Amino acid sequence: MDLQQLTAQIRDFARARDWERYHTPKNLVMAMSVEMAELVEHFQWLTPEEAQAIAADPARRVPVEEEMADVLIYMLRLADVLSVDVEAAIADKMIKNARKYPAPER
């Protein structure tokens, strides 16, 4: 599934539940912030090694995946509401990042 399909699926989900009236940019950013905080909780106080070990532990990985999905759902919904082309925005930002942080020559 590509980003456009995913965005349409998220839009349809919200529309079917009459949530569009609540999906203002402010509300979506606030909701995304809450979901990001819930994601952070899974890593709070862990060492780098303990945090990396989550990848190999399904009991800990699945809840992390769910929070990551929540964050991305809200981000895509926000982009949809604001008519932001996420793919273009990322491509532009990667170009700026490459200029700002050039890779060292080898």
Side-chain angles (χ1 to χ4, degrees):
M1 182 177 297
D2 65 25
L3 282 180
Q4 289 181 349
Q5 291 172 320
L6 197 52
T7 297
Q9 183 179 352
I10 294 165
R11 181 187 317 119
D12 292 345
F13 185 91
R15 187 171 289 149
R17 288 153 182 80
D18 196 28
W19 289 352
E20 290 180 306
R21 59 190 163 144
Y22 303 114
H23 285 187
T24 65
K26 176 193 74 74
N27 287 350
L28 291 166
V29 169
M30 291 174 68
M32 188 177 358
S33 174
V34 170
E35 295 300 338
M36 183 56 81
E38 291 176 4
L39 177 60
V40 168
E41 283 182 312
H42 292 279
F43 295 92
Q44 189 175 13
W45 311 120
L46 300 183
T47 66
E49 297 78 18
E50 290 168 334
Q52 186 63 46
I54 288 175
D57 180 359
R60 295 173 68 201
R61 181 184 172 120
V62 169
V64 167
E65 290 175 353
E66 290 174 354
E67 296 304 339
M68 291 172 64
D70 286 339
V71 171
L72 188 54
I73 287 167
Y74 280 122
M75 181 63 74
L76 291 176
R77 186 72 185 117
L78 176 64
D80 189 32
V81 167
L82 293 176
S83 299
V84 171
D85 180 338
V86 175
E87 293 179 56
I90 290 171
D92 290 345
K93 185 61 177 178
M94 292 301 294
I95 291 168
K96 289 177 184 176
N97 286 347
R99 288 185 190 130
K100 188 173 181 180
Y101 307 104
E105 293 187 28
R106 296 180 187 220

